[in-house]
Amino acid sequence: MNPEPTADWRLFQGDGTQRRVTLPQAPPWRRFGGSRRGAPGPLPYLIAPEHADVVNAALHLRRPLLVTGPAGTGKSSLARAVAHELDLGEVLRWPVNSRANVQDALYRYDAIGRLRETTLSRDRGEAEPSIGSFVRLGPLGTALVPGPRPRVLLVDELDKGDVDLPNDLLTVFEEGVFEIPELARLPEAQSVIQVLVADSQDPVTVERGKVLCTEFPVVVITSNGERDFPPAFLRRCIRLDLPTPDEERLRAIVAAHLGDGALVGVEDLLRSFLQRRGPGELATDQLLNAVFLRVGGVDLDADGLLDAVLHQLGGTV
């Protein structure tokens, strides 16, 4: 039986009247910062044993894991699940777009900022700031910083990048090292420099401008299949293709995120989702959104509301 719709779910009335309302608690997957305090842990991640075995193969071989599959199959979430289960800290994320390049993912050097600050320091009669204050490692560069345990690096949507980007990554992935020329050219007296990293205020030490990992990072690369990758790149990756969840797995996902009670009275939503779903047309989190609203007493039968939640992802908007 579906819960009765609640009239007070309409926080926005559209009548121009100003009123102070209390926003209800957000869905578990849309809570950030302090709003997640007290939660039992990260969001659950469900994966079939045969797919977990592929992840383990990549871990043992120290090879990048190339994850493909339709939208909403959990490609990006897999990196966070691995980092949590193996206690490898926060995920370093490199979101790839058409302007992405390996150089920026490794490090950035603020030459203009250094020139400005050096000039000001000289005018004040102060010591010049260290060049390391103007070098910040990117997510890929930070992942290669030597340490006792590897970091997890998420290279998100690599297929959105330039066609040459996968080939540009080959040397870094194969050798686990890169050089910062601006530091390598420094005199011997400045061979050890402290530089900034992507996800912390604590600097790390770079000697002679070279960053060489001691443990190859856990690299999770996602792709939506918008572009083919060169054979040389594919040869260095372990491939995992995540399938679209079937009805049984959808039920398990809903229960894992919202509790077993959320499955009561949502048969029509499951049927509607499965009927509307086609390749690349709906994502699993859209079903979670619909169930969350239904459990909260929202009338999803209202004109156009279910269509707004379960809208197709492909085509022109």
Side-chain angles (χ1 to χ4, degrees):
M1 179 180 296
N2 296 340
E4 289 295 325
T6 56
D8 58 355
W9 78 271
R10 290 187 173 89
L11 307 174
F12 171 71
Q13 301 291 336
D15 57 8
T17 301
Q18 187 178 63
R19 37 177 92 78
R20 183 176 294 272
V21 301
T22 300
L23 292 174
Q25 191 173 46
W29 53 90
R30 294 299 299 167
R31 298 173 193 168
F32 307 96
S35 61
R36 285 191 62 86
R37 291 175 185 168
L43 297 175
Y45 188 85
L46 303 182
I47 185 170
E50 62 269 23
H51 299 142
D53 286 345
V54 178
V55 176
N56 284 305
L59 294 172
H60 281 275
L61 295 172
R62 305 299 201 274
R63 288 292 187 182
L65 181 69
L66 177 59
V67 188
T68 58
T73 51
K75 298 187 295 295
S76 300
S77 301
L78 177 57
R80 291 187 286 272
V82 172
H84 168 66
E85 286 198 20
L86 303 186
D87 192 22
L88 297 178
E90 293 293 323
V91 173
L92 294 162
R93 183 171 179 262
W94 177 21
V96 176
N97 55 42
S98 59
R99 301 178 301 278
N101 61 76
V102 174
Q103 171 68 47
D104 288 344
L106 290 173
Y107 78 97
R108 289 188 176 186
Y109 170 52
D110 184 5
I112 296 176
R114 184 190 180 199
L115 177 61
R116 181 182 63 250
E117 292 300 321
T118 299
T119 301
L120 291 174
S121 297
R122 288 174 179 173
D123 292 343
R124 293 192 295 259
E126 301 172 353
E128 296 181 7
S130 169
I131 186 175
S133 302
F134 306 96
V135 175
R136 181 177 293 275
L137 303 185
L140 176 57
T142 301
L144 295 173
V145 170
R149 291 173 63 76
R151 296 294 302 272
V152 176
L153 171 67
L154 171 62
V155 183
D156 212 8
E157 299 188 332
L158 181 62
D159 52 329
K160 292 187 180 300
D162 184 81
V163 66
D164 292 325
L165 186 58
N167 281 329
D168 293 341
L169 285 168
L170 290 180
T171 300
V172 177
F173 282 167
E174 195 65 22
E175 301 180 5
V177 63
F178 71 97
E179 184 182 73
I180 304 176
E182 292 84 357
L183 303 185
R185 292 192 294 262
L186 294 174
E188 183 68 24
Q190 301 179 52
S191 60
V192 178
I193 295 292
Q194 296 276 305
V195 303
L196 306 173
V197 294
D199 65 338
S200 173
Q201 297 301 317
D202 298 326
V204 298
T205 300
V206 175
E207 296 187 25
R208 301 185 185 279
K210 182 175 291 187
V211 178
L212 172 63
C213 67
T214 52
E215 280 284 347
F216 189 76
V218 178
V219 181
V220 178
I221 304 170
T222 71
S223 170
N224 292 318
E226 296 183 8
R227 174 178 295 160
D228 293 331
F229 297 124
F233 176 80
L234 294 175
R235 180 170 62 84
R236 289 165 171 82
C237 298
I238 303 298
R239 177 78 176 269
L240 172 62
D241 188 32
L242 293 177
T244 301
D246 58 16
E247 183 174 352
E248 180 181 357
R249 185 158 293 274
L250 286 173
R251 293 177 183 276
I253 291 172
V254 170
H257 284 80
L258 297 172
D260 291 333
L263 292 172
V264 178
V266 296
E267 292 296 328
D268 60 322
L269 296 182
L270 277 168
R271 285 195 305 271
S272 181
F273 180 83
L274 291 170
Q275 290 169 0
R276 296 167 182 240
R277 186 175 69 178
E281 292 181 355
L282 287 178
T284 304
D285 58 351
Q286 291 175 279
L287 174 63
L288 289 172
N289 290 337
V291 174
F292 178 80
L293 291 174
R294 170 66 62 77
V295 171
V298 175
D299 181 11
L300 286 172
D301 296 325
D303 290 344
L305 185 54
L306 184 59
D307 291 335
V309 177
L310 298 184
H311 61 86
Q312 292 188 349
L313 302 179
T316 303
V317 178

